[in-house]
Amino acid sequence: MCKLILLGGIPGVGKTTIAYELARYYKIDKVLSIDVLKNILKKFISKEQEPYLYTTTHEAHTLENLSIIEGYKKHSHILNRHVISILDTFKNEKIVILEGATITKDILDYLKEYEVYYFNLYLEQDKELMSRYESKLKIRKGKWIENFEKIKEINNYLINQECININAREIEQVLNEIRRYIDENICS
């Protein structure tokens, strides 16, 4: 059975960095980014067919005048439905890492054929999160600063899910905490 390590959390908490560091450390050669998969899907699915593919976690609510959390959940559900069909091609792998902001506990219902370990990365300090967003202004298109309050609302929603919550304050601390869990539960 394939072991699936899920790294979720709001934008800017270090999901991608952590995913690739874990992959390097454990010599895992399959790391899937939901952002990359989303961009590939947009090459085959039009905005008219699936408008939620063309929005972000924190702006999805505007498509149907939903609450921020309901928009986030709908965006996540639609995107994860496509991601799960792609994941099927990796069922025979030993370990796969999947990282992305749309990972919620709801995705677990679709992953019964995997041994799943779900980590939610978050930041407690608004100042630290804003600092990360400001540092990425030149390399990211996302309107993270303009949507800061919405993103914080999603962060609070994600923290209250059934998962392993890890404060993403320092990358090395996060890596050590996840490695300890993996060593005790996956690689033992």
Side-chain angles (χ1 to χ4, degrees):
M1 176 182 284
C2 179
K3 296 176 182 177
L4 185 59
I5 299 171
L6 303 178
L7 297 173
I10 58 172
V13 293
K15 298 177 298 294
T16 304
T17 301
I18 297 297
Y20 284 103
E21 285 297 317
L22 289 172
R24 186 181 59 75
Y25 185 83
Y26 288 105
K27 297 177 178 40
I28 299 168
D29 64 350
K30 300 296 186 278
V31 178
L32 304 174
S33 165
I34 289 181
D35 285 346
V36 171
L37 296 174
K38 180 179 176 181
N39 285 328
I40 292 168
L41 288 167
K42 289 192 306 190
K43 298 291 183 193
F44 302 98
I45 301 170
S46 72
K47 189 174 186 176
E48 293 73 30
Q49 292 172 296
E50 200 76 274
Y52 280 90
L53 283 179
Y54 290 81
T55 189
T56 63
T57 56
H58 45 278
E59 295 174 323
H61 69 98
T62 62
L63 293 179
E64 295 183 67
N65 198 25
L66 302 169
S67 72
I68 293 162
I69 298 305
E70 289 305 313
Y72 167 76
K73 287 167 64 176
K74 187 160 185 180
H75 177 260
S76 296
H77 173 74
I78 289 169
L79 191 52
N80 290 339
R81 187 182 71 221
H82 293 292
V83 169
I84 289 161
S85 66
I86 294 168
L87 264 179
D88 284 346
T89 62
F90 297 97
K91 281 183 187 172
N92 295 325
E93 296 294 327
K94 184 176 178 185
I95 300 176
V96 175
I97 298 174
L98 175 65
E99 64 88 10
T102 62
I103 294 174
T104 67
K105 70 177 178 77
D106 298 333
I107 197 172
L108 302 177
D109 294 336
Y110 301 100
L111 300 173
K112 303 286 188 212
E113 299 169 25
Y114 299 87
E115 188 176 321
V116 180
Y117 302 89
Y118 171 26
F119 301 91
N120 176 60
L121 306 182
Y122 70 95
L123 281 171
E124 288 180 322
Q125 301 296 320
D126 292 354
K127 185 177 179 181
E128 185 175 354
L129 184 59
M130 182 60 80
S131 174
R132 288 187 187 190
Y133 289 175
E134 288 169 345
S135 72
K136 294 184 178 204
L137 274 174
K138 292 179 181 156
I139 59 171
R140 285 291 202 170
K141 293 184 201 174
K143 298 177 185 174
W144 295 348
I145 293 173
E146 297 91 329
N147 289 292
F148 191 71
E149 293 302 317
K150 295 173 187 175
I151 293 170
K152 283 182 11 184
E153 189 172 332
I154 293 168
N155 190 44
N156 291 335
Y157 167 74
L158 291 172
I159 288 171
N160 290 308
Q161 294 192 70
E162 298 169 21
C163 60
I164 302 162
N165 284 299
I166 299 177
N167 191 337
R169 60 208 169 274
E170 295 289 330
I171 287 178
E172 202 54 45
Q173 287 176 318
V174 173
L175 284 168
N176 288 337
E177 201 168 328
I178 294 174
R179 284 180 194 145
R180 187 171 35 258
Y181 187 88
I182 289 172
D183 289 344
E184 291 171 5
N185 297 284
I186 300 175
C187 296
S188 57

